[in-house]
Amino acid sequence: MEKIDRIFYRKINPSDFKKLYDIDKPTTGGGQTYIEAAGISYDSIVDFLSIAEKADSKSDQRYTYTAKAYTLGDIEQLENLEFAPRTNRSNYKISRQTLRQKHPAWSPQNGFPVPNTDPITGAYTSNGNFVGIIDDLVILIIRTTYCRYYASFINTPTMPAGWPTGIGLESLFSGERRGIINFDRYRVEFINNASNPFGTIVKIPLEYNTGLIPKNAAKYNHIIFGAPGTGKSYTLNENRKLMSILDSDFERVTFHADYSYAQFVGTYKPVTESTGDISYKFVPGPFMRILKKAYANIIDAYDITSGRIDTTKIKPFLLLIEEINRAHTAAVFGEVFQLLDRNDDGISEYEIQPSVEIKEYLCENLGGTPDEYTSIKLPNNMFIWSTMNSADQGVFPMDTAFKRRWDFKYIGVDEEEFYVEENPNSGQKTARENQGGEFTIAGDSIEWNVLRRAINAKLSNAILRVHEDKLMGPFFLKTMDKNGNIIINNDEFINLFCNKVLMYLFEDAAKTKRAQLFSGCQDKDKLNRYSYICKEFRDKGVTIFGNDFLMKEYQEQYLEREQAKTDAELSTQEKVL
């Protein structure tokens, strides 16, 4: 069954009407011959034209679209409609709509209004400015699920008898009378009838329980935290791959001290219209964009015949928040905080009443009317994962009520140290370091991962007693690419170590314990100088951490690292068995 899924509509003004009938056209030729699609957002018009033929524009980076459009009620009358970008304007135009070239749906033979004529010359005239002729004239272009367009018009101040109410058609007869109506929330049967193209209508309910069963028992609201460099982002990215979440179905956002509700959820922002006027438009944030995609997936998966969601069409959607505690979470989440309380099915336990602008945004993108979005919940095909670094300075504390709505997982400093490869022929498993490599420093051959472990061992000994949150994970320095290839040379490693590791130890982890950590430095009076410690490292290498550092902490951690590799390989084999 052919169904209507979009309707483009545009009220015709006197200037448009003149073009359609070549009125007041310059005698020397030229003049505008198009109808502007002004007042309709770029995203909406591109979505509407997504099934049309597209081509590169001559002087614009945007595409020019050609839609083969039938005349509503008469498929024998067929003509192309070209939508081209306006030069130096944000909107599109419908090209070449003149007396001879306009679409046949907008011609007198199909009942389209006709201007008055001059009593002497018989030519069309603009006298009276078309009052009483085009007061309620609106052109329509209907798009259907059969990838067809149908052109038509209405010329009435009220909805015709027999037209369905409550599905968004009211906007054709009120306000500015221009835009695109989205019918994603309905299955509207298309009837090729000029007076009433609307057949049977089925409303698509917005279900929150999609039937999705998360792979690997993935959590809906999940926070991973741990020391710097423990691979928090890496872990979530690997989990995303295990969930088969597509790049187009997730967004990553990083919180910071100035991050706000307006950025996260959305807000009105000033937008310059094609006329040069400033108007305000709701611009959604990452939370609302992902929620809209999750809703759209549910609507698309609804099967009218069975009256149920086709679970094979349901996909997971992910909002990934980096450094969640760097922002004031209560202020950033606002009323959305209430949605995080989920039941056993992964659905929000309590709904919230969205603002007017959010209801209008959902209506525009999902179809229906704003009244259908008076309350919303998180569906169970939407996941929110986050990283949190509790060791950082300048972070905001999270209150207990906020924390209890999340599942927390702590990553130890050595937890993501290895990944295990399996030989496809022999089945032999080999543990490899996620970040490692061997480098020469002041004549000594040093492995980064062992050095990291050794520094951590000294930081956490009975003398320094540095908390685990201040230690360093294997990802603190990036020394390898994803294929295990070393990507830096000796000099680059030394520079990277000075600029990242020594800076972190000097400014943060061992700020009050420099004398104990850098016990191998000769001049104790200069330990408050970062440049001095870097110079000592370049000259002496890792002995800045103590004259016995290589033979003690480094050697001990070398042996522990080797044992950890063996344990990782055995652990993987046991899981298989």
Side-chain angles (χ1 to χ4, degrees), residues 50-63:
S50 60
I51 62 172
E53 181 182 325
K54 65 182 181 182
D56 293 330
S57 302
K58 293 181 179 179
S59 58
D60 199 292
Q61 293 183 343
R62 295 168 292 176
Y63 292 114

Side-chain angles (χ1 to χ4, degrees), residues 136-359:
D136 298 293
L137 181 59
V138 178
I139 59 171
L140 309 175
I141 303 173
I142 296 172
R143 193 183 86 176
T144 75
T145 55
Y146 282 8
C147 297
R148 294 173 180 169
Y149 293 94
Y150 295 84
S152 185
F153 69 93
I154 53 174
N155 193 14
T156 175
T158 58
M159 193 177 300
W163 281 32
T165 59
I167 65 170
L169 296 176
E170 288 79 5
S171 59
L172 295 173
F173 307 94
S174 62
E176 295 183 337
R177 304 180 74 171
R178 62 184 179 186
I180 293 174
I181 302 174
N182 181 330
F183 290 107
D184 284 348
R185 286 296 304 276
Y186 306 95
R187 297 293 184 264
V188 182
E189 180 186 6
F190 171 73
I191 298 174
N192 192 18
N193 183 293
S195 60
N196 186 356
F198 308 101
T200 304
I201 296 173
V202 177
K203 180 180 177 180
I204 306 299
L206 184 54
E207 301 282 355
Y208 298 113
N209 191 344
T210 66
L212 177 71
I213 300 175
K215 294 182 180 178
N216 304 298
K219 306 298 184 182
Y220 291 100
N221 303 335
H222 188 42
I223 291 179
I224 287 186
F225 68 110
T230 48
K232 297 179 289 294
S233 298
Y234 169 83
T235 299
L236 289 184
N237 203 49
E238 290 301 302
N239 290 345
R240 179 175 73 87
K241 293 176 182 177
L242 291 174
M243 283 276 288
S244 303
I245 299 175
L246 304 175
D247 288 347
S248 59
D249 296 336
F250 100 104
E251 284 200 39
R252 187 191 305 271
V253 59
T254 302
F255 278 13
H256 52 80
D258 295 324
Y259 200 72
S260 67
Y261 174 90
Q263 293 168 289
F264 184 59
V265 178
T267 188
Y268 273 110
K269 291 185 179 180
V271 176
T272 303
E273 299 287 355
S274 58
T275 59
D277 296 331
I278 301 295
S279 64
Y280 284 83
K281 173 187 176 184
F282 179 76
V283 179
F287 174 85
M288 192 53 60
R289 290 195 293 267
I290 288 295
L291 180 61
K292 183 260 294 183
K293 286 184 177 181
Y295 281 174
N297 176 232
I298 296 169
I299 293 168
D300 290 342
Y302 186 81
D303 181 70
I304 295 177
T305 304
S306 66
R308 297 178 181 177
I309 290 174
D310 181 351
T311 57
T312 64
K313 296 181 179 179
I314 291 295
K315 301 185 296 179
F317 294 81
L318 171 65
L319 176 60
L320 203 160
I321 304 170
E322 299 279 8
E323 308 287 357
I324 191 171
N325 59 334
R326 284 186 176 274
H328 195 300
T329 51
V332 171
F333 276 79
E335 79 279 1
V336 167
F337 157 82
Q338 189 73 13
L339 299 178
L340 299 178
D341 209 345
R342 305 216 199 186
N343 61 24
D344 293 341
D345 292 322
I347 303 165
S348 294
E349 193 76 58
Y350 310 103
E351 73 276 356
I352 64 170
Q353 285 67 49
S355 61
V356 172
E357 56 265 28
I358 290 177
K359 289 193 287 186

Side-chain angles (χ1 to χ4, degrees), residues 18 21-27 124-127 130:
K18 287 181 182 181
Y21 285 97
D22 293 350
I23 299 173
D24 298 338
K25 187 176 180 180
T27 55
Y124 291 130
T125 177
S126 59
N127 291 340
F130 315 119

Side-chain angles (χ1 to χ4, degrees), residues 4-10 37 45 48-49 67-70 72 80-83 94 97 103 105-106 138-144 148-154 172 179-181 183 190:
I4 300 173
D5 68 356
R6 302 283 190 277
I7 296 180
F8 168 95
Y9 62 103
R10 165 77 157 80
I45 200 73
F48 177 75
L49 297 169
K68 183 183 293 185
Y70 299 95
L72 184 62
N80 287 336
L81 285 173
E82 181 186 272
F83 284 77
I94 306 176
Q97 295 304 303
H103 194 278
W106 306 326
V138 178
I139 59 171
L140 309 175
I141 303 173
I142 296 172
R143 193 183 86 176
T144 75
R148 294 173 180 169
Y149 293 94
Y150 295 84
S152 185
F153 69 93
I154 53 174
L172 295 173
I180 293 174
I181 302 174
F183 290 107
F190 171 73

Side-chain angles (χ1 to χ4, degrees), residues 84-147:
R86 287 287 316 277
T87 304
N88 299 322
R89 300 283 183 90
S90 61
N91 63 290
Y92 270 72
K93 63 184 180 182
I94 306 176
S95 307
R96 295 180 294 280
Q97 295 304 303
T98 64
L99 180 63
R100 295 180 181 274
Q101 295 176 298
K102 64 176 176 281
H103 194 278
W106 306 326
S107 63
Q109 69 186 46
N110 287 307
F112 200 74
V114 178
N116 292 322
T117 56
D118 184 282
I120 299 175
T121 64
Y124 291 130
T125 177
S126 59
N127 291 340
N129 207 30
F130 315 119
V131 173
I133 300 176
I134 64 168
D135 299 356
D136 298 293
L137 181 59
V138 178
I139 59 171
L140 309 175
I141 303 173
I142 296 172
R143 193 183 86 176
T144 75
T145 55
Y146 282 8
C147 297

Side-chain angles (χ1 to χ4, degrees), residues 315-434:
K315 301 185 296 179
F317 294 81
L318 171 65
L319 176 60
L320 203 160
I321 304 170
E322 299 279 8
E323 308 287 357
I324 191 171
N325 59 334
R326 284 186 176 274
H328 195 300
T329 51
V332 171
F333 276 79
E335 79 279 1
V336 167
F337 157 82
Q338 189 73 13
L339 299 178
L340 299 178
D341 209 345
R342 305 216 199 186
N343 61 24
D344 293 341
D345 292 322
I347 303 165
S348 294
E349 193 76 58
Y350 310 103
E351 73 276 356
I352 64 170
Q353 285 67 49
S355 61
V356 172
E357 56 265 28
I358 290 177
K359 289 193 287 186
E360 291 176 346
Y361 167 75
L362 293 175
C363 172
E364 179 183 349
N365 286 275
L366 301 176
T369 64
D371 289 343
E372 295 178 54
Y373 303 97
T374 52
S375 66
I376 59 174
K377 291 183 178 183
L378 294 183
N380 60 3
N381 65 334
M382 178 174 172
F383 298 77
I384 306 176
W385 296 347
S386 179
T387 66
M388 184 173 81
N389 192 339
S390 55
D392 280 348
Q393 301 175 19
V395 298
F396 290 89
M398 293 191 294
D399 61 61
T400 303
F402 187 82
K403 284 183 176 180
R404 76 171 182 81
R405 287 166 165 80
W406 298 81
D407 288 292
F408 283 81
K409 179 186 177 183
Y410 185 79
I411 299 184
V413 288
D414 299 323
E415 195 169 322
E416 294 294 335
E417 190 174 16
F418 305 107
Y419 65 95
V420 178
E421 281 186 346
E422 181 179 353
N423 186 305
N425 297 319
S426 65
Q428 179 67 34
K429 292 180 171 56
T430 305
R432 303 193 184 281
E433 291 170 324
N434 272 307

Side-chain angles (χ1 to χ4, degrees), residues 472-542:
M472 297 178 293
F475 293 89
F476 198 95
L477 290 187
K478 184 174 177 60
T479 58
M480 293 177 165
D481 62 19
K482 63 182 180 180
N483 297 315
N485 301 312
I486 298 174
I487 57 175
I488 55 176
N489 57 34
N490 288 329
D491 290 338
E492 289 170 332
F493 176 81
I494 291 170
N495 289 333
L496 195 62
F497 191 88
C498 288
N499 295 337
K500 289 196 173 184
V501 176
L502 291 183
M503 172 65 78
Y504 172 67
L505 297 173
F506 182 85
E507 289 286 353
D508 195 338
K511 187 174 184 179
T512 61
K513 301 176 181 180
R514 294 169 186 161
Q516 295 93 329
L517 179 63
F518 302 115
S519 57
C521 291
Q522 184 174 0
D523 194 338
K524 308 303 180 186
D525 294 332
K526 293 183 179 179
L527 290 181
N528 61 343
R529 300 182 187 178
Y530 168 65
S531 58
Y532 169 71
I533 294 173
C534 288
K535 182 178 182 303
E536 286 285 277
F537 177 73
R538 294 178 188 278
D539 294 341
K540 297 181 177 181
V542 298

